[in-house]
Structures are given as C-alpha cells and as structure tokens.
C-alpha cells in the first residue's frame, strides 16, 4: 500500500518515498503527537520535525533512515511541552542542531535545557543535504510557531513548467477542519487565521499536502472551501 499518513501510538510508522526525500511519520504518546523524519535520498542527511515523546522510538526511526544514526537537525514547531518532551534525550544521542521559531526559543531552552542552534524567522531557508525547506511563521497558537515547506522538483524542462507539489509540516497551526487552538482569544485567533490564510492558502495550490502535529494528514484543497466557516466561528 502507498502512503496514507494514518498512524497510531504504538503502531508502525508510515513511509512516503518522493524523488528527493523519504518522509517517515510516527505517532508517539502520551498525547498522540506526530513526528516526521525527512531523509535526503542523495546524501543521507536527516531532519526531524518535533522530538515530541518516546525518544527510544524516535532514535529507532532515525536509525531506519540512516544506519549511522545521522540526524542533522531537529525543528521544533513550537514550544508546547508535548512537542519537546524527547528533545533533550534525542539531541544527547545524535548531536543534532535544534531549530525553533525565535519567539519560542528561550522557552524551549528553559523547558529542556537544550540550546537552540538556530532561531527561525518567516522566510528563512533550511538546507539539509540536497533538500531545501522554507520556514513559514504562523503566529497565534504560540508566538513562535513555524511550519516547514518542501517543494518537489519540476519534471518538465520546457518553458512554463509547473513547479512540483508542495508539502507543509504545520505543527499545531493547521489541521483537518481548522487552525490550531488559540484558547478562545480573539486576537490570537485573528493573527493565526491571517497567517494561515496569507502565508499558506494564498501561496500554495490545492494539491499541497499538509502534515499536522496530531492526527491525519490533509490537503489545502480539502480545507480551502471551509476558510470562511473557520473565520465566522472564530476557531
């Protein structure tokens, strides 16, 4: 079977193989978080999105992607405890650089005693092996929440070739059915809704695949018809 993105805590990871990258998705407990390992197929370089929990299982995932247990970077999508519980253990084993949205960086360090090697800002670029990922700041769930954007390479070489499909790793800022929790704060909701609308839906097409911090994957095309509904309900 191909990739579905349907994973459960204690169950196997799911694997998506693209031209340049392998994406492994694993659910870890106790809060049913998704962790994503991106492996550059040419160089073996690896990036983990959210060292959320169960460091032994995450280390096993890293070894599956790279027998030498190479892990170049851990990107923490935001500062909440359920997304950083395994960070200290995994960094101690792998020596990976930690990258966090700048407004959340100090909080992550205080909670984990792990130094942040790279503070992220909207529009930054991360290079891992031969992979290039864009940083998208999505303020509201936390001040420093970030998403990562990866775009598949073009296959056509003729003039007017269409860019490859985009893939978004959105943390807790975008899910199937709505944006992330803003604790019924109208100001935070307005900020997150604006960032998600302008920085994701206005920039990427409907084929864009969304990998959230919890639960099932979705696409922007599936969610786009509901944007006005989300705005009206305020969550």
């Amino acid at each position: 079977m191909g990739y579905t993105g349907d994973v459960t805590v204690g169950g196997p990871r799911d694997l998506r193989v693209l031209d340049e990258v392998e994406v492994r998705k694993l659910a870890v407990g106790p809060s049913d978080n998704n962790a994503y390992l991106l492996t550059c197929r040419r160089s073996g370089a690896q990036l983990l999105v959210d060292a959320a929990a169960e460091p032994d299982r995450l280390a096993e995932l890293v070894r599956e992607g790279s027998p030498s247990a190479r892990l170049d970077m851990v990107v923490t999508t935001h500062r909440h405890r359920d997304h950083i519980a395994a960070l200290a253990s995994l960094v101690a084993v792998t020596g990976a650089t930690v990258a966090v949205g700048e407004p959340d960086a100090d909080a992550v360090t205080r909670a984990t005693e792990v130094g942040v090697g790279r503070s992220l800002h909207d529009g930054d670029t991360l290079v891992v092996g031969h992979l290039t990922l864009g940083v998208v700041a999505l303020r509201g769930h936390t001040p420093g929440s970030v998403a990562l954007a990866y775009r598949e390479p073009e296959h056509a070489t003729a003039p007017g070739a269409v860019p490859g499909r985009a893939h978004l790793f959105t943390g807790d800022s975008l899910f199937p059915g709505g944006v992330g929790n803003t604790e019924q704060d109208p100001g935070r909701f307005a900020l997150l809704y604006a960032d998600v609308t302008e920085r994701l839906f206005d920039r990427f097409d409907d084929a864009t695949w969304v990998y959230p911090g919890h639960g099932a994957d979705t696409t922007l095309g599936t969610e786009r018809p509901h944007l006005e509904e989300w705005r009206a309900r305020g969550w």
Side-chain angles (χ1 to χ4, degrees):
M1 294 181 62
Y3 176 84
T4 65
D6 296 328
V7 293
T8 57
V9 174
R13 58 91 179 113
D14 204 355
L15 171 65
R16 181 172 227 167
V17 179
L18 304 174
D19 286 353
E20 292 186 326
V21 62
E22 295 176 351
V23 178
R24 289 174 172 82
K25 179 179 181 179
L26 181 72
V28 293
S31 299
D32 198 3
N33 287 74
N34 296 326
Y36 300 93
L37 181 71
L38 281 60
T39 306
C40 173
R41 297 184 66 191
R42 291 175 61 188
S43 68
Q46 299 198 115
L47 178 150
L48 182 74
V49 180
D50 284 339
E54 298 190 68
D56 290 344
R57 294 190 69 210
L58 293 179
E60 181 181 348
L61 190 72
V62 169
R63 288 192 296 271
E64 179 185 320
S66 170
S68 65
R70 174 179 179 177
L71 184 61
D72 298 75
M73 182 175 291
V74 178
V75 172
T76 296
T77 58
H78 63 288
R79 66 193 186 192
H80 286 162
R81 183 66 188 177
D82 62 314
H83 288 257
I84 59 176
L87 186 61
S89 296
L90 199 63
V91 169
V93 170
T94 64
T97 297
V98 176
V100 185
E102 191 275 331
D104 282 5
D106 288 346
V108 169
T109 295
R110 287 195 299 270
T112 64
E113 300 184 348
V114 175
V116 172
R118 179 151 181 194
S119 294
L120 303 177
H121 305 86
D122 188 57
D124 283 353
T125 297
L126 299 177
V127 177
V128 180
H130 297 274
L131 306 177
T132 300
L133 300 104
V135 176
V136 184
L138 300 172
R139 303 158 295 178
H141 182 66
T142 67
S145 290
V146 296
L148 295 183
Y150 166 75
R151 190 176 289 280
E152 296 178 52
E154 297 178 0
H155 287 284
T157 58
V162 177
R165 177 176 48 177
H167 300 257
L168 298 174
F169 300 85
T170 57
D172 284 3
S173 292
L174 177 63
F175 295 101
V179 299
N181 182 16
T182 51
E183 298 178 318
Q184 299 183 334
D185 182 321
R188 287 174 57 193
F189 171 78
L191 187 60
L192 180 56
Y193 180 83
D195 278 359
V196 165
T197 301
E198 296 166 8
R199 298 178 178 182
L200 299 184
F201 285 94
D202 289 353
R203 293 181 185 175
F204 297 95
D205 65 23
D206 284 353
T208 300
W209 198 273
V210 176
Y211 305 80
H214 303 266
D217 298 359
T218 186
T219 65
L220 291 188
T222 300
E223 306 305 324
R224 193 182 302 275
H226 305 289
L227 281 171
E228 180 55 31
E229 170 192 337
W230 301 351
R231 187 201 62 77
R233 76 189 185 195
W235 58 272

